[in-house]
Amino acid sequence: MSGALRLQGQGNGCGHATGPAYVPAQPLSPHAEQVSPSLEFERLDTAIAHAVAALEALTAQTDPASADILEFQIEMLRDPVIAEMAAEQIGKGQNAAFAWVAALEDYISGFEQSDDGDIRARAADMIDIRDRVLRALEGMPAADFPKGTIFVGRDMAPSLFLAHDWTGGGGIALEAGSTASHVAMLARAKGVPMAVGIGSFAVAPETPVLVDGDSGLVVVDPRGADIAAVGADKPAAVMPAGFDRSSPLGLPAGGFEVLFNISDISEIHALDAGACDGIGLLRTEFLLSSAADLANEEKQFQLYCEILKWAGGRPVTIRLFDLGGDKPLGGFGLEERNPFLGLRGIRLLLSMPTMLRIQARALLRAAALGSIKVLLPMVTFPGEVTDTRRIFEEEAASLAHRHVAISMPAIGMMVEVPAAAIMLDMFEDADFFSLGTNDLAQYLTAAARDNPTVADLYQQAVPALLRLIAQTVAVAHDMGKPIGICGDLAGDPEHLSSLIASGIRQISIAPSQLAAVKTAQMQAGMDG
């Protein structure tokens, strides 16, 4: 073998990639929007000015009748009352996007509920200027790097991974990181070769690097023999004899659902909806690129509609924003000493009801167009489900009063906090349950999922995790409520037979794991 530098870490099981090293001058991260009142005032003023300028330019090119409509919008954008209402919200700690939406809510509702048809028609103009300013607030695009390169760094933000176009190949080699981190999960879903925990090393930009996601090996300046050795003796997955190709899943008797975990809209365009039973987990926080998007009801609604159209009538389970932890979109969790144990998931949403209500409205509207279920993240106590359901019901009543088509979706909860798993029978307000084994393992082991030095504790904890899953599934069955699993354990063929034995009949996995799971599923079915 060559004298090239060889480093050993942990792989994500997604093959290998070779390319020139991309070494960022400083750690790349998303544009973190932390709330500073003076900065938020400035950002909102600038966004409104941009919206006015765009409308003025459009007015100069349109006929008089259309110009009247645009001039009304300009007049409203310059209305000092609206500006003062937004400023008041910023003074209370809201960022510019949420302050702007809050300032316009009463205006829009008032127009929509008017008995005068001409005034009701103005509601569309108010919605237009609301969304125009939100688009102006979207801010800086996430930093990116060249296609086909091997990203080499200490760690990688999930938003940076999602902003990159992986169709041109490439891979990831991280000094730190963990195979249980969110960016590792995203890499598995897209089949991007990745090695983590390889330790500190120096590599010049553009130096060829080989990443073997199967073994966790990283080779700096590899030779032909290195590349040939990595690709050898790795046969493609073969479906078991007797696989029923007339069924999209070749399921064993007794009924078993396999759904997909989706984190990026672009993923669905490369997938056949008929290859799964639906979407078991749509991670909505990864669909958006800025804090302004968190306040943009229309953008969220359109994203959900796109997913529903692809699903073609199959069920789609949409998780509410799971912010905090290692997903600091909008700056949430950045200043917490231990963000995984802090204000994240449903805790954060209930503390910021404006954000929750915006997402609830988008989901209620989308539910009128397809089969949607809503999943609450990081639930610890029954009151969190009850409070969230109340907010959905209030927003449903408000939308119905405004003659907006809606449907109330089933509302379920992630089971990823041990306290919730142990007292599952108290969650009568939840319509269904979904086991999130990544965080459940993290909290069971008291070992951070993004810390490579304690990564081995995850594997040692599998027996305890399986025991808790079996107990939780039994309780859910006694309650007569559906329960599935959407964590990484569901996509691990080694443990599928144990999950089936525990009573699990629905799993949601990364699309890249489907072939291996089908094989293991058929074997488990034939063995049983």
Side-chain angles (χ1 to χ4, degrees), residues 5 13 30 76 114 117 129 138 140-141 144 177 220 244 276 291 308 314 329 332 360 363 369 380 395 398 436 471 490:
L5 176 62
M76 295 306 297
S114 173
I129 66 171
E138 285 182 2
M140 298 168 55
D144 199 8
V220 178
D244 180 8
C276 68
L308 286 171
R314 292 175 176 82
L329 178 63
F332 301 119
L363 288 165
L369 304 175
T380 308
E395 292 303 322
S398 175
Q471 294 170 357

Side-chain angles (χ1 to χ4, degrees), residues 107 227 356 523:
Y107 272 87
I227 299 171
L356 175 53
Q523 292 171 343

Side-chain angles (χ1 to χ4, degrees), residues 216-234:
L217 176 69
V218 174
V219 182
V220 178
D221 202 12
R223 304 297 184 261
D226 295 302
I227 299 171
V230 166
D233 301 322
K234 293 182 179 177

Side-chain angles (χ1 to χ4, degrees), residues 2-7 18-21 201-204 206-211 218-227:
S2 74
L5 176 62
R6 303 167 68 81
L7 303 154
T18 306
F201 71 104
V203 58
E206 302 295 325
T207 302
V209 173
L210 165 67
V211 175
V218 174
V219 182
V220 178
D221 202 12
R223 304 297 184 261
D226 295 302
I227 299 171

Side-chain angles (χ1 to χ4, degrees), residues 83-374:
E84 289 168 7
M85 292 170 64
E88 183 181 352
Q89 292 295 320
I90 290 174
K92 294 177 179 178
Q94 292 276 28
N95 67 27
F98 285 111
W100 176 246
V101 169
L104 286 177
E105 276 300 294
D106 288 341
Y107 272 87
I108 293 171
S109 179
F111 280 125
E112 288 181 330
Q113 295 180 37
S114 173
D115 294 330
D116 188 315
D118 291 336
I119 294 178
R120 283 200 305 274
R122 291 299 193 186
D125 294 308
M126 297 303 295
I127 291 170
D128 190 22
I129 66 171
R130 178 196 68 191
D131 294 347
R132 185 179 290 273
V133 172
L134 284 175
R135 287 193 295 272
L137 282 168
E138 285 182 2
M140 298 168 55
D144 199 8
F145 50 97
K147 287 185 180 181
T149 57
I150 305 298
F151 181 93
V152 178
R154 177 163 179 77
D155 211 339
M156 187 180 199
S159 58
L160 176 59
F161 178 92
L162 289 168
H164 185 66
D165 183 358
W166 293 100
T167 57
I172 303 168
L174 300 181
E175 296 176 4
S178 161
T179 56
S181 70
H182 280 109
V183 72
M185 172 192 72
L186 295 171
R188 280 193 296 275
K190 282 187 176 288
V192 176
M194 179 181 188
V196 302
I198 55 179
S200 180
F201 71 104
V203 58
E206 302 295 325
T207 302
V209 173
L210 165 67
V211 175
D212 184 1
D214 294 323
S215 67
L217 176 69
V218 174
V219 182
V220 178
D221 202 12
R223 304 297 184 261
D226 295 302
I227 299 171
V230 166
D233 301 322
K234 293 182 179 177
V238 178
M239 296 307 298
F243 175 65
D244 180 8
R245 296 186 180 276
S246 65
S247 164
L249 293 173
L251 303 177
F256 193 91
E257 293 181 324
V258 178
L259 303 97
F260 284 160
N261 293 337
I262 299 294
S263 303
D264 185 357
I265 288 290
S266 66
E267 288 182 67
I268 64 173
H269 299 306
L271 299 172
D272 175 11
C276 68
D277 291 305
I279 294 176
L281 176 63
L282 179 65
R283 301 182 178 98
T284 55
E285 65 277 3
F286 290 132
L287 303 182
L288 308 179
S289 58
S290 74
D293 291 338
L294 297 172
N296 195 330
E297 176 186 331
E298 192 60 31
K299 182 168 186 176
Q300 294 174 37
F301 171 68
Q302 294 297 337
L303 287 169
Y304 304 150
C305 288
E306 188 173 349
I307 290 282
L308 286 171
K309 183 178 179 181
W310 174 84
R314 292 175 176 82
V316 175
T317 299
I318 300 179
R319 187 175 66 187
L320 298 179
F321 297 133
D322 186 13
L323 300 171
D326 62 348
K327 295 174 287 187
L329 178 63
F332 301 119
L334 286 176
E335 296 181 350
E336 291 195 78
R337 183 174 180 180
N338 192 334
F340 280 111
L341 298 178
L343 198 61
R344 59 169 295 207
I346 199 62
R347 303 170 183 177
L348 174 62
L349 292 173
L350 288 171
S351 75
M352 295 192 65
T354 299
M355 178 162 60
L356 175 53
R357 288 179 182 277
I358 289 168
Q359 188 173 26
R361 289 196 296 271
L363 288 165
L364 287 161
R365 292 167 57 198
L369 304 175
S371 178
I372 281 181
K373 296 194 290 185
V374 173

